[in-house]
Amino acid sequence: VEHGIPTTRGTYTFEPSGTVDTLLAEGNEDLIMLFIVEGPAVEYLADDDSIARRETLATKIANYGNQGELTKMSVQDLTY
């Protein structure tokens, strides 16, 4: 939204460190995105630009396990 760069199915976008953006899905199709993060964390900002949440590899793995327990789905070992 901030950069006015529309992305469509199959689009690849590179965002350098420090990029701030808002994702917006339009239409009736489900939005499925794959993020590949090279670095220690992804930070989500609040309206006042303070850090609202920080995601790291450890928090992603923990959230994945928690979601599996909540939904009763089997959790796969994603470590390599």
Side-chain angles (χ1 to χ4, degrees), residues 34-45:
L34 170 66
F35 291 92
I36 299 172
V37 178
E38 294 180 355
V42 173
E43 294 174 338
Y44 297 87
L45 303 179

Side-chain angles (χ1 to χ4, degrees), residues 17 37-43 54-60:
S17 179
V37 178
E38 294 180 355
V42 173
E43 294 174 338
R54 185 171 215 255
E55 292 282 350
T56 65
L57 177 60
T59 61
K60 284 291 187 193

Side-chain angles (χ1 to χ4, degrees), residues 1-75:
V1 171
E2 289 81 6
H3 307 290
I5 302 171
T7 55
T8 57
R9 181 177 296 184
T11 300
Y12 169 85
T13 304
F14 171 78
E15 295 184 341
S17 179
T19 300
V20 175
D21 54 16
T22 304
L23 304 175
L24 175 67
E26 296 179 339
N28 296 325
E29 291 188 45
D30 290 337
L31 174 64
I32 301 171
M33 301 185 80
L34 170 66
F35 291 92
I36 299 172
V37 178
E38 294 180 355
V42 173
E43 294 174 338
Y44 297 87
L45 303 179
D47 290 338
D48 64 359
D49 290 336
S50 65
I51 297 172
R53 190 172 86 232
R54 185 171 215 255
E55 292 282 350
T56 65
L57 177 60
T59 61
K60 284 291 187 193
I61 291 172
N63 289 338
Y64 172 69
N66 293 340
Q67 187 64 24
E69 290 176 18
L70 289 173
T71 60
K72 306 296 185 221
M73 296 177 70
S74 72
V75 175

